[in-house]
Amino acid sequence: MSWRAQGLRTWLLQRLTAVYMILYAFSFSFYFLAIEQLDYLQWRALFARPWVNIGTSLFFIALLYHAWVGVRDILIDYVSGNAWRFVIWTLVSLLQVTLAIWATMILWSVVQL
Amino acid sequence: MNGGAIVADWTYDSIRLHYKAMKNQQKRPKFLNLFKIHLPITGITSIAHRISGVLLFVATPAFIYYFHLSLKNAQGFLQVQTYMQSVSIKLIITLLLWSLSHHLFAGIRFLLSDLHIGNSLAVARRSAWLVNLAGLILFLYLAYKVWL
């Protein structure tokens, strides 16, 4: 199996996802500061916009990947047995992918293209 | 048979045996009395960044769930609003707001560190204080928004 530059790629993506999330949160906070009262229709209308929708999907994917790398680091630092590390890492990976699919489904269901 | 491969196998095994022998010879000291561990300020920023990361990770499924509920229908939205008014939930949210604030600023400090910015000890110490303070300020602002 070739693992060339996997570690580097993971490291880099952890940084890139962080930057994306910072930009997203920064943009999103403008919305929150601008509105006075928030009701369901407004909230739903916001995520119906295609770019907000896609941007938010990307945010969730970025979040889940970023967290996955963080958990990997914690496993490496604190869990000594290879078997345990592998089991936990596999379960967390499965969890992250499941959450990513779920979040995308949620957003897909409200978008209005 | 490749001579290089034979040497590589032998070397790998001997290193493994050596490591196993060493591990059994020295019982590594363990010091886990959290109340007596004294970390420099940069260490505090760093471990808090890690802890806040774990808290945020644990909260993520719930976050997605309530996000879903708020978008599903007007009832769901109302449910989430009501839920967020209970004191126990507000306390959890408060903890998560600190986690977010600290993790954000400590993370930016790490990003700058990757770009070799602020790696000297004096600057690192100052930036650690700054990050802790900025995290606290953002946290207080967000907590104010939640509680009042």
Side-chain angles (χ1 to χ4, degrees):
Chain A
M1 209 182 327
S2 163
W3 293 99
R4 66 177 203 285
Q6 283 273 357
L8 181 63
R9 192 201 304 170
T10 305
W11 176 89
L12 185 62
L13 275 177
Q14 192 187 34
R15 271 71 183 161
L16 292 177
T17 51
V19 171
Y20 180 80
M21 287 194 282
I22 291 172
L23 293 172
Y24 181 93
F26 185 69
S27 318
F28 205 84
S29 55
F30 278 113
Y31 176 77
F32 263 126
L33 290 169
I35 53 155
E36 279 124 30
Q37 194 61 308
L38 184 64
D39 66 356
Y40 173 66
L41 291 171
Q42 244 185 306
W43 184 238
R44 187 153 170 154
L46 173 66
F47 291 101
R49 295 161 177 243
W51 286 115
V52 176
N53 197 286
I54 294 173
T56 309
S57 280
L58 286 175
F59 173 82
F60 277 113
I61 292 170
L63 175 66
L64 294 165
Y65 184 85
H66 184 91
W68 179 74
V69 179
V71 172
R72 179 205 67 161
D73 291 344
I74 284 176
L75 286 179
I76 290 173
D77 281 349
Y78 301 130
V79 179
S80 51
N82 271 323
W84 272 117
R85 242 198 338 253
F86 180 71
V87 167
I88 298 173
W89 176 81
T90 305
L91 290 174
V92 172
S93 306
L94 183 62
L95 172 71
Q96 301 300 79
V97 173
T98 307
L99 291 176
I101 295 174
W102 185 20
T104 313
M105 280 173 154
I106 294 167
L107 287 159
W108 191 279
S109 72
V110 302
V111 74
Q112 279 183 338
L113 293 164
Chain B
M1 277 225 221
N2 183 352
I6 292 175
V7 171
D9 280 346
W10 175 81
T11 315
Y12 177 70
D13 282 335
S14 72
I15 289 174
R16 238 177 150 193
L17 281 166
H18 179 69
Y19 178 70
K20 263 202 176 126
M22 285 202 56
K23 221 178 164 186
N24 291 329
Q25 274 168 17
Q26 334 164 301
K27 277 299 165 202
R28 295 159 107 208
K30 245 183 182 165
F31 187 74
L32 293 174
N33 184 349
L34 294 175
F35 294 104
K36 290 222 176 109
I37 294 178
H38 171 254
L39 280 177
I41 187 66
T42 51
I44 292 175
T45 304
S46 182
I47 190 64
H49 177 254
R50 180 164 272 196
I51 292 172
S52 58
V54 172
L55 291 173
L56 290 168
F57 166 69
V58 170
T60 305
F63 176 56
I64 296 178
Y65 173 74
Y66 288 111
F67 179 63
H68 179 196
L69 197 58
S70 76
L71 278 175
K72 212 154 101 164
N73 47 38
Q75 278 168 299
F77 186 81
L78 203 62
Q79 253 184 296
V80 174
Q81 261 186 331
T82 324
Y83 199 64
M84 288 209 310
Q85 274 156 11
S86 86
V87 174
S88 46
I89 296 305
K90 272 189 179 173
L91 286 172
I92 295 174
I93 290 178
T94 306
L95 179 64
L96 291 171
L97 287 175
W98 169 79
S99 304
L100 184 64
S101 308
H102 182 86
H103 196 88
L104 173 66
F105 288 112
I108 293 175
R109 180 172 173 270
F110 273 125
L111 284 176
L112 290 173
S113 174
D114 287 337
L115 297 169
H116 307 293
I117 298 172
N119 280 350
S120 72
L121 183 59
V123 181
R125 282 218 186 102
R126 252 181 289 145
S127 68
W129 277 111
L130 207 77
V131 156
N132 292 346
L133 199 66
L136 190 66
I137 291 174
L138 178 62
F139 161 64
L140 289 173
Y141 171 70
L142 293 173
Y144 165 75
K145 283 278 173 161
V146 164
W147 287 95
L148 291 149

